[in-house]
Amino acid sequence: MSQKHYAVIGHPIGHTMSPFIHKRLFALAGADADYTALDIAPEALEREYRETLSRLDGYNITIPHKQAIIPFLDELDDKAKMYGSVNTVCNRDGRATGYTTDPDGFIRAIEAAGIALDGRIMILGCGGVARTMAYEIALRGKPFEFAVRREDVGKAGLLCLDITRKIPEAEVSFGLIDQIIGSVDVLINATPVGMYPDSGAQPIHNCAIGRCKSVFDAIYNPLETALVKRARANGSLAEGGMSMLVWQAVVSHQHWDGSAYDKADIDRLCLDAAAELMKK
């Protein structure tokens, strides 16, 4: 079999961890494939699609092309249609199919960490990452709530309406992030608070963290955020976002070639990816 060719596109793209992660996944699967990063400015997307992207076996997409790529594709899977966003494309038999692997990456990461999506589930923030997580929780029939800043109350209200419009049976509410009361079974941080270089920041106070049974932080830089450190110090089950980044890449490979991976190999890759990130 001839070597296959893959890439990640975005603008800017210099910070991406995708080549490191995907090259390792291809190696683990014993696949003969290369993977590169392509910096494509928005105004060049149509030209690059014709001249470059359509000739690849597949590619990943990051900001700012996750919506802009859609008109060029032949079809979308159901989740990509629901989210209106694509981060993985498979070119097969002359057809380009778009997928979104972020939702499955979130669920795989939660499951791999041993965190059960049950009880009182709270998502911090109401941006794009929070939206992805919220839809997956709602699709599983679990009630949940957003905790947001005062200035984001209107945005949170609109997001709740959007969720219940698409998933009528969803049970979702929202409140203020600085007024969290009572215990929380699953706390999910979908804000950028605690991301490098402001690694010492926490999205909520220590007293609130102390009432959380388990914590998932979508931030992957640093590998262990202040929130995760505090939760673990309290004896809570806690996981950072590197696992979500790696697991969504795993789902891309399943779409491309059906590869399967051992959890132990993915755990090792998460640690190695964090070390590589530190080098950058």
Side-chain angles (χ1 to χ4, degrees):
M1 293 179 64
S2 60
Q3 186 182 50
K4 293 190 174 184
H5 305 283
Y6 299 87
V8 58
I9 67 168
H11 181 73
I13 200 69
H15 65 286
T16 183
M17 288 293 297
S18 291
F20 180 87
I21 293 170
H22 286 282
K23 285 178 181 179
R24 277 285 296 275
L25 290 172
F26 281 125
L28 286 169
D32 183 12
D34 61 19
Y35 190 101
T36 190
L38 301 175
D39 192 323
I40 299 177
E43 62 272 17
L45 181 60
E46 182 174 0
R47 182 188 72 244
E48 291 296 330
Y49 181 83
R50 292 195 310 268
E51 297 178 359
T52 305
L53 301 181
S54 61
R55 300 177 185 178
L56 297 174
D57 294 284
Y59 50 96
N60 297 117
I61 302 136
T62 188
I63 295 171
H65 303 310
K66 287 188 175 186
Q67 288 81 40
I69 194 69
I70 291 176
F72 304 112
L73 305 179
D74 296 299
E75 59 184 306
L76 303 179
D77 85 330
D78 290 341
K79 271 196 178 171
K81 288 177 183 176
M82 186 180 77
Y83 283 96
S85 176
V86 167
N87 76 340
T88 299
V89 171
C90 179
N91 288 329
R92 185 179 292 122
D93 300 326
R95 292 184 64 80
T97 303
Y99 305 88
T100 179
T101 68
D102 289 330
D104 290 329
F106 164 61
I107 295 299
R108 298 281 189 92
I110 285 279
E111 291 174 345
I115 297 174
L117 284 173
D118 287 310
R120 187 186 183 193
I121 302 171
M122 180 175 291
I123 301 174
L124 306 182
C126 58
V129 175
R131 181 175 181 269
T132 295
M133 295 169 166
Y135 272 102
E136 290 307 297
I137 294 169
L139 286 169
R140 282 158 177 77
K142 306 293 185 178
F144 65 97
E145 58 196 282
F146 294 103
V148 301
R149 300 175 302 175
R150 198 171 299 274
E151 58 266 37
D152 290 330
V153 164
K155 184 178 178 182
L158 290 174
L159 179 54
C160 289
L161 287 173
D162 187 53
I163 292 169
T164 53
R165 188 181 306 116
K166 292 181 178 177
I167 309 172
E169 64 275 19
E171 298 179 50
V172 55
S173 59
F174 65 91
L176 295 175
I177 199 168
D178 58 358
Q179 294 181 13
I180 297 172
I181 59 174
S183 60
V184 177
D185 292 289
V186 184
L187 181 81
I188 301 168
N189 180 36
T191 79
V193 179
M195 184 184 295
Y196 178 85
D198 194 16
S199 305
Q202 295 177 172
I204 57 175
H205 298 299
N206 287 339
C207 59
I209 299 173
R211 299 195 300 272
C212 297
K213 181 180 178 181
S214 59
V215 170
F216 182 82
D217 195 336
I219 292 171
Y220 63 84
N221 185 13
L223 180 65
E224 189 179 54
T225 62
L227 172 61
V228 169
K229 286 181 181 178
R230 173 60 63 177
R232 287 173 175 167
N234 292 339
S236 301
L237 183 61
E239 182 67 33
M242 183 59 77
S243 60
M244 181 175 167
L245 184 67
V246 173
W247 278 108
Q248 63 85 22
V250 167
V251 179
S252 290
H253 284 249
Q254 291 174 338
H255 289 306
W256 289 334
D257 55 24
S259 296
Y261 301 89
D262 292 332
K263 181 180 179 298
D265 288 333
I266 300 305
D267 290 343
R268 180 73 254 172
L269 177 51
C270 289
L271 293 174
D272 292 347
E276 180 69 15
L277 188 65
M278 290 298 292
K279 293 178 186 177
K280 288 177 176 288

